[in-house]
């Protein structure tokens, strides 16, 4: 009996279809099979022994920050910069007691909290350093290297200083009766906004003020072109520029501010556990799933601030912590970390038998920090 070519192809397609159904069934219905498929076929499941490592003594007070393709550590006034393979590339002597950081793509900004030393790193090279006149309280840096620093001294509650990419000071704003908490600079350096707090009354007041950089040299007061007040009893938590708009996070909601107007993007509810605006052009919300019976199912909502369109990823585990940066979200569920892109798709799952102390995220790498080692996960 002669078998035609069409019959052979049809038979092969039927067999492949049956195999695909079996694999999908195992992937969806059996946890061990799903883990084996993710690790050995898809390459999306990673364990700690698979990753490059940086080891250090357990009792040392090491500080760790990831940025772009690098992981930087500070210990005993030595800044060490490693590449994503764990190879030491640069070692720089600095003078910091309690370092704080700001990162943006290839830039790393290091300040000494409540002291005055400031360092700007590009890739693995020190670009400039400054000894400021006042005490550092907060930092920010744009993707183009513009730097913002909030300081304090005995005369002023807060001083807001902005520097260009070379470290040259562009302007200062002085606050004598109120405090600046956080600041952000637009990438084109046309605008700067800051959160202002007033603690003098019976209740704490917060507001956002936006500065036109082109006007600030003539008059700092006249340069403040917009002042945004939150809704009643709301406290402003964080701000970030998105194009020429300002994404604002309060303790109750997320907003989009532009040209003096305020638009509510999302209001939190009693199921909301985490909220973050550090994704590029998105807002990330973690909530208990409304369909969850035992409160073990969570969902990650990734929201477009302009259209309010939501991408949702369902997680069948309790999310204990969340980190966002650039295009990526990391949801920690105990000894497992799920890495999700801003479309809501699962990219990788990282499993460990140890307790994770901290996670630091960057554009292309994640530093997973334990008591005596750092593991570097490329994303």
């Amino acid at each position: 009996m002669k078998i035609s070519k069409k019959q052979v192809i049809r038979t092969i397609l039927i067999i492949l279809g049956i195999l695909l159904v079996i694999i999908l069934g195992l992937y969806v219905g059996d946890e061990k099979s799903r883990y084996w498929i993710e690790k050995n076929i898809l390459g999306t499941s990673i364990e700690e022994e698979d990753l490059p490592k940086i080891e250090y003594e357990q009792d040392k007070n090491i500080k760790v920050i990831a940025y772009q393709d690098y992981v930087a550590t500070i210990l005993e006034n030595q800044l060490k910069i490693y590449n994503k393979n764990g190879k030491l590339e640069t070692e720089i002597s600095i003078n910091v007691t309690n370092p704080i950081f700001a990162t943006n793509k290839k830039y790393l900004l290091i300040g000494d909290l409540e002291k005055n030393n400031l360092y700007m790193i590009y890739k693995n090279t020190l670009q400039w350093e400054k000894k400021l006149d006042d005490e550092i309280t907060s930092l920010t840096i744009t993707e183009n290297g513009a730097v913002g620093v909030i300081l304090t001294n005995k005369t002023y509650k807060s001083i807001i200083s902005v520097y260009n990419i070379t470290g040259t000071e562009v302007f200062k704003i002085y606050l004598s009766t109120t405090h600046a908490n956080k600041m952000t600079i637009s990438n084109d350096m046309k605008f700067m906004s800051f959160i202002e707090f007033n603690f003098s009354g019976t209740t704490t007041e917060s507001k956002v003020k936006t500065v036109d950089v082109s006007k600030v040299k003539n008059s700092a007061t006249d340069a403040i072109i917009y002042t945004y007040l939150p809704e009643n009893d709301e406290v402003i938590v964080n701000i970030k520029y998105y194009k020429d708009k300002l994404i604002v996070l309060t303790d109750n909601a997320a907003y989009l501010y532009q040209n003096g107007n305020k638009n509510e993007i999302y209001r939190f509810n009693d199921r909301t556990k985490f909220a973050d605006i550090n994704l590029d052009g998105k807002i990330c919300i973690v909530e208990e799933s409304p369909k969850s019976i035992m409160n073990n199912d969570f969902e990650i909502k990734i929201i477009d601030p302009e259209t309010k369109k939501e991408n949702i990823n369902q997680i069948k585990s309790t999310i204990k912590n969340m980190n966002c940066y650039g295009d990526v979200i990391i949801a920690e569920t105990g000894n497992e970390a799920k890495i999700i892109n801003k479309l809501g798709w699962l990219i990788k799952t990282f499993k460990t038998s140890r307790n994770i102390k901290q996670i630091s995220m960057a554009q292309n790498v994640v530093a997973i920090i334990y008591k005596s080692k750092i593991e570097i996960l490329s994303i």
Side-chain angles (χ1 to χ4, degrees), residues 147-358:
V147 167
V149 186
I150 299 176
L151 308 110
T152 188
N153 62 24
K154 292 180 180 179
T155 305
Y156 295 98
K157 303 289 186 184
S158 291
I159 304 163
I160 301 169
S161 295
V162 173
Y163 303 86
N164 65 19
I165 192 172
T166 65
T168 303
E169 186 178 279
V170 180
F171 67 85
K172 278 185 177 179
I173 292 176
Y174 297 88
L175 304 178
S176 56
T177 59
T178 56
H179 297 259
N181 173 264
K182 291 183 180 180
M183 62 181 293
T184 183
I185 305 168
S186 61
N187 281 324
D188 58 11
M189 214 176 165
K190 290 182 178 179
F191 302 100
M192 183 276 292
S193 293
F194 62 94
I195 305 174
E196 184 183 56
F197 280 90
N198 188 342
F199 300 109
S200 62
T202 55
T203 59
T204 299
E205 295 178 356
S206 64
K207 62 184 70 172
V208 173
K209 290 186 175 180
T210 295
V211 173
D212 185 331
V213 174
S214 65
K215 298 178 179 179
V216 75
K217 287 184 179 180
N218 297 326
S219 169
T221 303
D222 294 338
I224 298 174
I225 53 175
Y226 301 117
T227 298
Y228 301 96
L229 301 175
E231 299 298 313
N232 292 336
D233 300 325
E234 284 189 349
V235 176
I236 298 168
V237 177
N238 202 2
I239 54 176
K240 182 182 179 180
Y241 270 103
Y242 167 62
K243 299 177 183 178
D244 59 341
K245 304 174 181 65
L246 196 63
I247 300 175
V248 178
L249 186 68
T250 74
D251 54 349
N252 288 327
Y255 298 90
L256 195 64
Y257 291 0
Q258 185 183 29
N259 299 331
N261 300 313
K262 181 169 64 175
N263 181 26
E264 182 177 294
I265 303 165
Y266 191 86
R267 181 153 294 275
F268 308 149
N269 55 64
D270 56 4
R271 294 183 289 104
T272 305
K273 300 301 177 185
F274 302 101
D276 198 299
I277 60 173
N278 287 317
L279 279 180
D280 285 345
K282 303 288 181 182
I283 297 165
C284 185
I285 310 290
V286 173
E287 293 183 344
E288 290 179 359
S289 174
K291 299 177 183 178
S292 176
I293 298 174
M294 300 297 292
N295 294 330
N296 289 328
D297 293 350
F298 281 69
E299 58 185 26
I300 298 175
K301 295 182 177 180
I302 301 145
I303 305 171
D304 186 296
E306 292 183 308
T307 65
K308 301 183 184 179
K309 180 183 176 182
E310 298 180 5
N311 292 321
I312 299 176
N313 185 290
Q314 301 285 341
I315 304 287
K316 291 190 174 297
S317 302
T318 300
I319 297 177
K320 297 183 177 181
N321 194 21
M322 178 184 70
N323 292 274
C324 299
Y325 186 89
D327 296 330
V328 177
I329 303 158
I330 293 187
E332 296 179 51
T333 60
N335 292 337
E336 186 176 271
K338 295 183 180 295
I339 302 170
I340 298 159
N341 66 19
K342 64 181 184 181
L343 297 175
W345 299 346
L346 179 67
I347 304 170
K348 292 181 180 179
T349 300
F350 173 74
K351 295 177 181 289
T352 177
S353 59
R354 302 168 181 260
N355 290 325
I356 297 172
K357 181 181 176 182
Q358 183 187 348

Side-chain angles (χ1 to χ4, degrees), residues 108-120:
L108 167 64
L109 188 65
I110 304 169
D112 199 0
L113 184 64
E114 297 180 349
K115 293 192 177 179
N116 53 9
N117 289 322
L118 184 67
Y119 303 86
M120 203 270 260

